[in-house]
Amino acid sequence: LKAFRNDSDINIVATPQILTMDNKKASIVVGENVPYITSQNTTTARQDYTNYEYKDVATTLEITPQINHFDVLRLEIMAEVIKLKNPNDVSGTPTTFKRKADTTVVVHNNETIVIGGIIGQDSSSSEFKVPLLGDIPLLGWLFKTRTTFHKKTNLYIFITPKIVDNPAELASIYYKKRDIMEDVKKGSSAIVEDQLNKEPNPQHSMELTNLGFAGLKNKEYARAKEYFEEALKIDPKNPYALVNLGVTCERQGDRERAAKLYNKVMRLETTDQIVGGAAAIESLKKLAKENLDQLKNTQKKLKE
């Protein structure tokens, strides 16, 4: 007689993500097409033939968002997970597990909700024995093994909507997804878990800063500001984004915020861990001081 217990705490089935517009339905299906035998016949010439129908065995997400006031979203959601009971089944009539949640919820922007905890429980038992000897009363247990298997599945579906207000936020999302694809190319394992716990990449902050600087040069101040602010969400101490956001605010007439940004640059510690190293940050500090002094002189003249 053998007894054992095996606990598997968490397994992430899939993390489908999709981009859509307000009040527009979007769907994504991640999985495979599995052939099912629909009929088998023999012709008059004694030739056998089989008809197949392909069905999706996949994770499906359908969502229709409606954005309301104060960044509150109404979401119509259909989430479905279909898995093969035995992935190695070649019988032509595979058995599948299906779990589905169909609901409508109201949630705030960037807030995670759980829309379903679907519990399933399977039990099975099997017995292996030595012929004849395993049938002997009492002593037969020395020659046979009985196994009882219990499996409980609790599927939780988490939804986190994010409103993308401008191209800068969209660019930030793109850079994150690009990192995931780079991990896929490298053959990284546990990609989903790694990305969920991954720290923001400072390089993304610099790339967004470059996009903002392009807007600043073209005098597209509103667009430039969006990119600089998105860059600072990733790296609040990015001196390039701080200085250029200060310049942008100054051009837009927000001198008070510009002064705060210049002061923040001047308080940064000198470090080699930025593009250009310690020399670059010292130059940026000098530029911030010059801009701040010029800003103070301008304000002084306006008062006079």
Side-chain angles (χ1 to χ4, degrees):
L1 181 65
K2 295 181 180 178
F4 69 92
R5 179 179 177 181
N6 184 16
D7 289 334
S8 297
D9 293 332
I10 298 174
N11 178 36
I12 299 176
V13 177
T15 58
Q17 301 176 50
I18 193 166
L19 181 68
T20 186
M21 296 177 64
D22 186 25
N23 278 322
K24 294 294 183 180
K25 181 179 178 180
S27 64
I28 184 170
V29 179
V30 181
E32 58 184 334
N33 287 118
V34 177
Y36 284 74
I37 295 176
T38 56
S39 63
Q40 291 179 312
N41 291 291
T42 303
T43 65
T44 54
R46 294 188 177 182
Q47 291 182 336
D48 296 331
Y49 69 91
T50 304
N51 292 326
Y52 291 90
E53 178 183 350
Y54 284 82
K55 296 183 180 180
D56 286 335
V57 177
T59 299
T60 303
L61 174 65
E62 293 182 357
I63 187 165
T64 305
Q66 184 181 64
I67 302 174
N68 300 308
H69 295 295
F70 308 110
D71 286 348
V72 175
L73 297 99
R74 180 181 182 272
L75 305 176
E76 295 179 5
I77 302 166
M78 192 287 290
E80 181 181 73
V81 178
I82 301 176
K83 297 183 69 177
L84 290 172
K85 184 175 182 179
N86 180 10
N88 299 317
D89 190 347
V90 292
S91 65
T93 55
T95 303
T96 59
F97 290 118
K98 178 179 178 179
R99 290 172 174 82
K100 180 178 179 180
D102 197 339
T103 186
T104 301
V105 297
V106 176
V107 61
H108 287 278
N109 180 38
N110 228 19
E111 184 177 82
T112 300
I113 57 169
V114 185
I115 65 170
I118 307 170
I119 297 177
Q121 182 167 333
D122 300 307
S123 298
S124 62
S125 61
S126 57
E127 185 177 273
F128 302 92
K129 63 182 179 180
V130 177
L132 299 179
L133 295 177
D135 295 325
I136 300 174
L138 298 179
L139 293 177
W141 286 107
L142 298 174
F143 304 98
K144 65 182 177 182
T145 300
R146 180 175 294 170
T147 302
T148 302
F149 178 72
H150 298 285
K151 181 181 179 182
K152 183 180 289 186
T153 303
N154 196 359
L155 176 64
Y156 290 98
I157 302 171
F158 296 84
I159 301 288
T160 306
K162 178 175 176 58
I163 299 173
V164 181
D165 290 318
N166 52 63
E169 290 187 17
L170 193 59
S172 180
I173 293 171
Y174 159 73
Y175 292 134
K176 292 176 184 177
K177 301 308 171 190
R178 187 185 63 184
D179 279 359
I180 295 176
M181 293 308 300
E182 289 298 324
D183 288 342
V184 172
K185 290 179 182 178
K186 295 174 184 176
S188 174
S189 59
I191 292 171
V192 173
E193 290 85 347
D194 289 345
Q195 291 300 324
L196 288 174
N197 300 313
K198 197 169 186 178
E199 292 294 325
N201 187 347
Q203 183 59 34
H204 296 170
S205 181
M206 287 304 304
E207 290 171 330
L208 289 166
T209 300
N210 291 336
L211 292 173
F213 187 66
L216 181 58
K217 287 197 300 182
N218 293 328
K219 298 182 180 180
E220 298 173 354
Y221 301 128
R223 174 171 168 263
K225 185 177 180 181
E226 290 172 353
Y227 281 109
F228 293 139
E229 288 179 338
E230 196 66 29
L232 290 171
K233 288 179 184 178
I234 298 172
D235 182 5
K237 294 183 179 180
N238 180 340
Y240 296 96
L242 288 169
V243 168
N244 284 291
L245 181 56
V247 173
T248 304
C249 290
E250 194 174 346
R251 301 278 175 84
Q252 290 183 312
D254 190 353
R255 297 184 180 88
E256 183 178 350
R257 188 182 181 193
K260 289 180 180 178
L261 289 163
Y262 294 145
N263 277 313
K264 190 171 183 178
V265 174
M266 292 166 60
R267 291 195 300 268
L268 290 176
E269 295 180 3
T270 301
T271 176
D272 292 324
Q273 296 180 346
I274 66 165
V275 177
I281 197 169
E282 287 300 324
S283 296
L284 290 168
K285 283 184 176 182
K286 183 179 179 181
L287 177 61
K289 186 178 185 307
E290 291 174 355
N291 288 353
L292 184 60
D293 291 341
Q294 187 176 358
L295 187 60
K296 288 179 179 178
N297 291 333
T298 302
Q299 289 176 326
K300 186 176 180 181
K301 289 179 181 179
L302 289 174
K303 288 180 180 179
E304 293 175 353

